[in-house]
Amino acid sequence: MTSPDVLRLFLGLVLVVGVILSFGWLARRGGLAGRARGHMRVVESLGLGPRHRMVLVQIDDTWLVVGVSAGQMNVLHTLPAGAALPDLPVAPVSAFAGKLGEAWRRRQG
């Protein structure tokens, strides 16, 4: 290889690495997402398990409660945006969980 060939190879390598780094920077900043910012947004998200989530999505003046799993999405409920969400009752502690907590507290203190 002659010196112009080595220089051309080196400049090509620098160009390819530069393009890869530029795309990585754009992806981190959200420049490649191409999403509309005015009509739809995720209000809140709750993980229910390793592959299941519940997401509250606002589309214009409507909230959608969406169940998301590995293979599908289902609209669970629809309500007007900004509506007061009801306070849900707390599930009672099972007998086993209560006894386990009591044993743990005795062991700790």
Side-chain angles (χ1 to χ4, degrees):
M1 272 190 169
T2 62
S3 109
D5 290 337
V6 172
L7 181 62
R8 190 174 315 147
L9 181 68
F10 178 73
L11 289 177
L13 180 63
V14 167
L15 179 68
V16 168
V17 169
V19 168
I20 291 171
L21 291 176
S22 297
F23 277 126
W25 179 78
L26 278 173
R28 272 194 313 261
R29 297 202 26 107
L32 297 178
R35 57 188 164 188
R37 298 190 185 268
H39 297 285
M40 188 167 83
R41 70 183 183 100
V42 174
V43 177
E44 195 168 338
S45 178
L46 174 68
L48 302 174
R51 303 183 84 168
H52 298 89
R53 301 190 68 71
M54 189 178 303
V55 181
L56 182 62
V57 178
Q58 179 177 349
I59 299 176
D60 290 331
D61 59 348
T62 305
W63 278 355
L64 301 175
V65 179
V66 180
V68 180
S69 66
Q72 65 185 9
M73 297 171 60
N74 295 317
V75 176
L76 304 175
H77 191 67
T78 304
L79 49 129
L85 298 176
D87 289 331
L88 300 176
V90 177
V93 177
S94 68
F96 174 74
K99 290 184 187 281
L100 181 64
E102 185 179 310
W104 183 259
R105 281 189 294 276
R106 273 188 271 136
R107 185 172 183 205
Q108 293 295 323

